[in-house]
Amino acid sequence: MIVGEQKPIKEIMESVAPYKRVLILGCGTCVKTCFAGGEDEVEVLASALRLAFKTKKQRSIEIEELTIERQCENEFIQEAAAGIGRNDVVLSLACGAGVQAMAERFPAAPVLPGVNTTFIGIQDRPGIFSERCSGCGDCGLARFGGICPVTRCSKKLLNGPCGGSQNGKCEVDPSIDCAWHLIIERLTELGQLDNLKTYIPPKNWQTSTSGGPRKLVREDQII
Amino acid sequence: MSNDDMTIKPLSKLHEILLNGEFAVTGECGPPRGANREVIAKKAGLLKGFIDAVNVTDNQTAIVRMSSIAGAVHLIEAGLEPVMQMVVRDRNRIALQSDILGAYSMGIRNILCLSGDHQSFGSQPDALNVFDIDSLNLVRTVKDMRETGKDMSGFELDIAPAMFIGAAANPFADPFEYRVLRLAKKIDAGVDFIQTQCIYNMARFKQWIKMAREEGLTEKVYILGGVTPLKSAGMARYMNNKVAGMDIPDEIIKRMGSVPKEDAIEEGMKICLETIAELKELDGVSGVHIMAIEWEEKVGEIVKRAGLKK
Amino acid sequence: MKTNNKPKITLFYCINAFMESAPVFEGCSIKTIKMACSSMTKDIFLLKAFEAGADAVLVFACPEKQCRYVEGGIRARKRIEWTKHLLDETGIDGRRLAIFNTDIKDPKAAGKIIRETIELINELGPNPAA
Ligand code: SF4
Ligand code: SF4
């Protein structure tokens, strides 16, 4: 899923300051799962903003709350149309894709981000999320025992670990598992350590962000 | 090394010494945090006559310093042979290749290809890191330039750099069994010489060399063992805990602590000399790499007392 | 800062940790919410209490290790820490929210907590968002 984290109240207050009526728009998919922008977070943020504006003795603020299933998909976006019409600004708690989808669909309404989108990852255990994939566009997981060095090695090394790996931890921070340690462990278990003897040539980053914004076309789905 | 190496034309002075079967001695020089070439000249003065080549670090520990290319050129002017270190942290493949061409045109003949310390340790943890290619890809690139005369894109270079290619190896990093496989992979990619992480755990180093020998790797690459003289028990403990990939056994730390403070430097020196003496006897080791960063005046003493240069 | 009105306190309590009695609440205007377990405390309820005008919000949970649902008190404590940080961010002041482990058989201790909270409100002044 896409993992994100709500922005600090102070930053949100500054961005909504010019507006009177604010629609806080949650998204019921990824950001809900990581406690950044689902229904519950919309409710809490609305309450916190009301309190904050009152405390600072600034003018009052009118807040409407709404959460739709997904802000990144047209069929759900439409549900927000009426609410957007009633307000001066949309404070979207979706990921960056959701925020942009809203902005595109409703060109007349200012759309502000309320969440910092951080990574594509998973929930390790309740409350702890970690990154798994950088969307490089050319997945090499087959070779690495299902563990991604592009994302999980701090140096994106593809031909083996650096000299800083110790006790299974990355040199960058002892709280980070060394991806290469995990890869070697896993491949040993699978009896595929020989995979690592193969020299891996420089990665082609064109399928990643180096090729400019990416687009995917599925001819069979185009009407 | 095999005998037909004798017919090979040396790529650099360091290469020549190794080809001749001499026990090579390399040192290290960290460029200044500033544009003062005098700093390099001074360090060169301290090292000259004692060592065969000097590594010039490339923004070591991700702190901005004078570039390794410029540092290497200053050393050449001072009459020393540099080993230009190059990390893949800060430059993409375009910049790396361009700098290799430039370096060769300035007379730099040895290169050491590294991943580089992560920038989170340095003076600018907020920088974007590059890691476009990894250190093995860099090794292969330099090797291909030398063997095929082409750059990474396959373009025929009018004068292709022919450098003597080095890489680092850390016999003490985990997972241990994999370290030899990694060495083999570096050799396959085109490495000519290896400089190792500082050796304090001789038992582990010997085990590594033995495994490398069994795989026939010591026949294919020159290995220079790394040493750093310890100054105190505190330094030993600090390095062991704080420096990534460093392994200093308890006996060494205890030994450093067992002597009166004023004798600690001499004790560190003794440990260093003992390590060098063992390395000289070890089958598969072709030289020593003395890392005495910001302590260059010690290098001459080490070389003399270890009986390394006539 | 002195106010004419009595300090307003909203109290969320676990029914296994506290029993209501008038003397305990002397000196303040109290609003109470009973819960089957302190783990039912949620950030939104606490914030809403402040929106409704509370000068301070208290949560009474069972003594540690005596929670019937094992970790209810621990969860409540973590949520309160989180909400305190939200209150600091909004300018309400996280000190206005607190959780205590209380013993149902010790109303005196509960009374002391209330008195100390009244003192705190007198020091901090009324809810700035009220
Ligand atoms: S290799 Fe690329 S696509 Fe596959 S997990 Fe890693 S970043 Fe994602
Ligand atoms: S320690 Fe492991 S994860 Fe960290 S940079 Fe080195 S190889 Fe990558």
Side-chain angles (χ1 to χ4, degrees):
Chain A
M1 71 172 132
I2 310 274
V3 179
E5 184 183 27
Q6 215 171 82
K7 283 177 175 289
I9 304 272
K10 194 165 164 273
E11 186 185 338
I12 294 179
M13 281 183 73
E14 278 163 18
S15 70
V16 301
Y19 307 99
K20 227 174 118 24
R21 285 169 312 210
V22 179
L23 174 69
I24 303 184
L25 186 61
C27 179
T29 307
C30 304
V31 288
K32 173 190 162 88
T33 316
C34 62
F35 315 110
E39 217 167 359
D40 289 357
E41 288 73 41
V42 167
E43 209 181 2
V44 169
L45 179 62
S47 175
L49 279 182
R50 278 191 297 265
L51 284 169
F53 271 94
K54 274 196 192 162
T55 304
K56 306 258 152 68
K57 298 284 175 261
Q58 295 180 12
R59 51 163 188 78
S60 67
I61 183 167
E62 280 169 45
I63 296 176
E64 185 177 333
E65 301 166 30
L66 176 68
T67 300
I68 60 176
E69 188 65 27
R70 273 201 276 292
Q71 288 187 33
C72 59
E73 266 183 66
N74 268 334
E75 53 176 295
F76 300 107
I77 288 178
Q78 204 43 42
E79 293 167 24
I84 289 175
R86 285 192 292 272
N87 289 279
D88 306 327
V89 70
V90 183
L91 176 62
S92 163
L93 298 192
C95 72
V99 175
Q100 293 184 57
M102 298 307 299
E104 241 171 273
R105 186 64 178 267
F106 302 100
V111 180
L112 307 171
V115 161
N116 290 323
T117 307
T118 42
F119 50 76
I120 306 178
I122 58 169
Q123 183 163 204
D124 295 333
R125 49 195 173 90
I128 298 179
F129 300 86
S130 63
E131 186 167 15
R132 286 293 180 277
C133 172
S134 325
C136 76
D138 180 14
C139 192
L141 284 177
R143 220 185 242 144
F144 303 117
I147 294 155
C148 172
V150 178
T151 310
R152 298 177 68 187
C153 165
S154 304
K155 299 178 186 171
K156 300 196 279 250
L157 304 177
L158 298 183
N159 278 294
C162 74
S165 172
Q166 225 160 18
N167 305 320
K169 298 298 172 189
C170 173
E171 70 167 39
V172 169
D173 191 317
S175 72
I176 303 172
D177 288 328
C178 168
W180 273 100
H181 191 96
L182 298 175
I183 292 170
I184 292 162
E185 242 174 31
R186 187 92 210 282
L187 290 180
T188 308
E189 218 163 89
L190 296 172
Q192 295 176 359
L193 202 57
D194 279 357
N195 280 11
L196 300 185
K197 287 191 176 154
T198 321
Y199 169 80
I200 298 176
K203 188 169 169 67
N204 176 1
W205 296 107
Q206 279 182 97
T207 55
S208 180
T209 46
S210 297
R214 292 170 275 179
K215 193 168 211 153
L216 191 124
V217 179
R218 270 287 298 262
E219 284 297 345
D220 58 328
Q221 300 290 326
I222 300 172
I223 317 145
Chain B
M1 302 295 290
S2 57
N3 277 336
D4 30 303
D5 277 349
M6 303 304 272
T7 59
I8 292 175
K9 202 168 150 279
L11 300 159
S12 69
K13 224 183 82 204
L14 176 62
H15 189 192
E16 188 176 0
I17 282 161
L18 289 164
L19 277 175
N20 291 340
E22 285 177 49
F23 196 74
V25 184
T26 54
E28 206 153 285
C29 164
R33 293 182 81 171
N36 186 358
R37 57 179 293 164
E38 295 308 320
V39 176
I40 307 246
K42 197 166 151 243
K43 289 185 179 180
L46 292 168
L47 296 169
K48 203 168 173 182
F50 297 115
I51 38 118
D52 301 313
V54 189
N55 285 31
V56 188
T57 53
D58 177 7
N59 296 297
Q60 201 182 15
T61 61
I63 287 171
V64 175
R65 292 170 182 279
M66 180 188 288
S67 71
S68 61
I69 300 183
V73 170
H74 294 318
L75 283 180
I76 294 174
E77 285 167 3
L80 280 168
E81 175 162 289
V83 176
M84 175 183 67
Q85 296 196 176
M86 194 173 241
V87 303
V88 295
R89 177 192 59 225
D90 310 316
R91 283 169 283 186
N92 71 4
R93 63 191 81 178
I94 299 172
L96 289 169
Q97 291 176 95
S98 150
D99 282 348
I100 291 165
L101 302 181
Y104 192 76
S105 78
M106 307 285 286
I108 296 166
R109 293 293 177 264
N110 305 300
I111 184 172
L112 191 82
C113 305
L114 303 166
S115 322
D117 299 313
H118 195 267
Q119 84 280 359
S120 60
F121 297 109
S123 54
Q124 265 137 305
D126 47 354
L128 172 72
N129 62 27
V130 179
F131 296 112
D132 173 16
I133 61 174
D134 66 20
S135 58
L136 249 89
N137 297 146
L138 182 61
V139 165
R140 175 62 66 88
T141 301
V142 188
K143 166 94 166 178
D144 283 349
M145 283 181 171
R146 185 174 92 200
E147 307 291 306
T148 68
K150 291 176 180 161
D151 70 10
M152 281 174 97
S153 72
F155 183 84
E156 194 101 33
L157 301 162
D158 69 350
I159 291 183
M163 291 197 185
F164 189 46
I165 307 165
N170 185 359
F172 313 106
D174 294 320
F176 184 63
E177 289 67 29
Y178 174 72
R179 291 288 145 185
V180 174
L181 199 151
R182 175 122 175 98
L183 177 64
K185 202 167 169 181
K186 283 188 175 167
I187 295 168
D188 283 346
V191 157
D192 303 307
F193 71 98
I194 290 284
Q195 290 172 325
T196 75
Q197 173 70 282
C198 311
I199 303 161
Y200 297 104
N201 188 342
M202 194 36 107
R204 185 150 165 174
F205 182 76
K206 282 184 173 161
Q207 199 187 338
W208 180 75
I209 277 283
K210 182 166 163 269
M211 284 163 77
R213 258 200 321 263
E214 284 165 3
E215 297 287 323
L217 301 179
T218 52
E219 296 293 312
K220 298 181 186 156
V221 73
Y222 300 103
I223 294 175
L224 311 190
V227 295
T228 290
L230 293 167
K231 289 182 184 172
S232 63
M235 169 187 175
R237 227 169 298 139
Y238 177 84
M239 283 170 63
N240 196 40
N241 298 335
K242 288 279 150 59
V243 179
M246 189 69 71
D247 174 6
I248 308 185
D250 280 347
E251 307 96 79
I252 298 281
I253 299 177
K254 279 207 197 98
R255 188 173 152 189
M256 286 302 292
S258 69
V259 297
K261 265 213 166 70
E262 61 276 18
D263 297 338
I265 288 184
E266 179 54 25
E267 197 61 28
M269 179 60 104
K270 279 189 193 147
I271 295 171
C272 184
L273 295 174
E274 287 162 22
T275 307
I276 296 175
E278 289 205 65
L279 289 176
K280 273 161 77 177
E281 298 309 315
L282 209 55
D283 201 8
V285 176
S286 307
V288 61
H289 178 53
I290 305 170
M291 290 169 271
I293 289 257
E294 303 310 327
W295 210 21
E296 286 80 4
E297 60 273 24
K298 249 337 196 209
V299 174
E301 187 188 336
I302 296 172
V303 170
K304 272 190 260 168
R305 289 177 64 181
L308 287 171
K309 291 282 146 184
K310 309 102 230 166
Chain C
M1 228 191 286
K2 277 272 167 204
T3 44
N4 297 329
N5 300 325
K6 279 187 187 174
K8 294 194 209 59
I9 298 177
T10 302
L11 170 66
F12 293 80
Y13 68 89
C14 164
I15 48 170
N16 301 306
F18 177 68
M19 199 172 324
E20 288 192 42
S21 66
V24 171
F25 301 131
E26 215 162 285
C28 70
S29 132
I30 193 94
K31 212 184 255 178
T32 57
I33 294 104
K34 275 190 235 171
M35 301 181 288
C37 170
S38 64
S39 67
M40 292 167 82
T41 325
K42 266 185 77 179
D43 45 9
I44 186 64
F45 302 144
L46 301 167
L47 291 176
K48 285 260 160 91
F50 283 104
E51 279 203 76
D55 297 315
V57 175
L58 296 175
V59 179
F60 286 175
C62 296
E64 269 177 74
K65 304 215 170 73
Q66 285 181 32
C67 175
R68 288 195 183 184
Y69 308 97
V70 190
E71 46 189 27
I74 302 168
R75 281 173 190 278
R77 204 164 270 280
K78 288 199 163 177
R79 294 216 185 104
I80 273 140
E81 282 311 314
W82 171 255
T83 312
K84 273 162 123 19
H85 130 92
L86 281 177
L87 290 171
D88 281 335
E89 277 203 284
T90 55
I92 298 284
D93 197 330
R95 285 178 293 174
R96 293 180 189 274
L97 172 64
I99 180 165
F100 295 93
N101 297 111
T102 52
D103 188 334
I104 194 157
K105 294 186 284 286
D106 189 0
K108 267 204 191 119
K112 187 161 170 270
I113 294 167
I114 299 284
R115 278 196 304 283
E116 281 167 4
T117 306
I118 294 170
E119 273 168 39
L120 180 75
I121 296 171
N122 285 335
E123 184 194 320
L124 296 177
N127 176 348

